[in-house]
């Protein structure tokens, strides 16, 4: 067990988040066994509250397990990175990027999901997850890391901009949530220009 994951619980101090990569996560059987269920709970609660994660209704357990299985397979193939944030032994955030499948786009990847449990908002977990995923992209030789966000997701867009992402396009009123329409904002981080 990672000692950093229990130090806050034993000292009586609120623990600092620990950001694990996919290999660290799967090397701890206790965490790995609960990961898909914990991720499902976070994603379901966020989507129920209106979070912009690509679902209109909370995803099913099977849907989340299938998605994570796909991401773990891509990680093993060198085509993805996954990060999980823990406070103590409790999953509070997850994010991943996937390398583009099209042969002409293989040097690049898309940050597809970043989700932080509502109870842990304001603790810098989204920033820590995103920074770790950017570092993983650099290490993997990714040239451009892209993402898209719903136009009203101002906190996420502010976070991405503060980490160096720039907006390169916008589709007005593209995202349909019932009768409401939101812009789809495209952002990129050009890692070729950074040393």
């Amino acid at each position: 067990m990672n000692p950093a994951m229990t130090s806050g619980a034993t000292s009586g101090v609120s623990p600092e988040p620990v950001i694990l990569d996919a290999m660290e996560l799967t090397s701890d059987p206790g965490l790995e066994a609960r990961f898909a269920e914990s991720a499902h709970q976070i994603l379901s609660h966020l989507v129920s509250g209106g979070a912009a994660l690509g679902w209109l209704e909370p995803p099913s357990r099977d849907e989340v397990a299938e998605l994570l299985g796909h991401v773990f397979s891509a990680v093993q193939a060198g085509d993805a990175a996954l990060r999980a944030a823990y406070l103590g032994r409790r999953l509070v955030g997850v994010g991943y990027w996937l390398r583009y499948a099209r042969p002409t786009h293989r040097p690049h990847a898309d940050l597809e999901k970043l989700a932080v449990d509502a109870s842990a908002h304001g603790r810098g977990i989204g920033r820590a997850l995103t920074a770790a995923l950017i570092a993983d992209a650099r290490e993997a030789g990714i040239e451009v890391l892209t993402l898209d966000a719903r136009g009203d997701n101002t906190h996420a867009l502010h976070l991405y901009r503060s980490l160096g992402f720039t907006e390169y396009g916008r589709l007005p009123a593209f995202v349909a949530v019932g009768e409401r329409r939101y812009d789809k904002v495209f952002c990129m981080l050009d890692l070729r220009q950074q040393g």
Side-chain angles (χ1 to χ4, degrees), residues 50-74:
L53 291 168
W55 289 285
L56 292 174
E57 299 294 326
S60 70
R61 284 181 175 85
D62 289 344
E63 188 177 358
V64 172
E66 183 179 334
L67 172 68
L68 293 173
H70 171 71
V71 173
F72 276 112
S73 293

Side-chain angles (χ1 to χ4, degrees), residues 69-131:
H70 171 71
V71 173
F72 276 112
S73 293
V75 167
Q76 291 172 341
D79 290 335
L82 177 135
R83 290 292 182 150
Y86 283 86
L87 289 173
R89 302 278 295 168
R90 184 172 67 93
L91 181 70
V92 293
V94 63
Y96 67 87
W97 56 256
L98 292 170
R99 190 181 295 273
Y100 282 95
R102 185 179 294 178
T104 56
H105 297 173
R106 296 286 297 157
H108 316 297
D110 190 57
L111 192 137
E112 295 197 2
K113 293 264 186 273
L114 185 74
V116 176
D117 188 70
S119 69
H121 285 180
R123 296 197 58 166
I125 292 167
R127 176 173 296 281
L129 281 169
T130 307

Side-chain angles (χ1 to χ4, degrees), residues 148-151 170-177 180-186:
D148 63 77
R150 203 167 75 188
R170 184 178 286 252
L171 290 172
F174 186 80
V175 180
V177 180
R180 292 168 294 183
R181 298 295 182 266
Y182 303 95
D183 291 356
K184 183 174 183 177
V185 181
F186 297 93

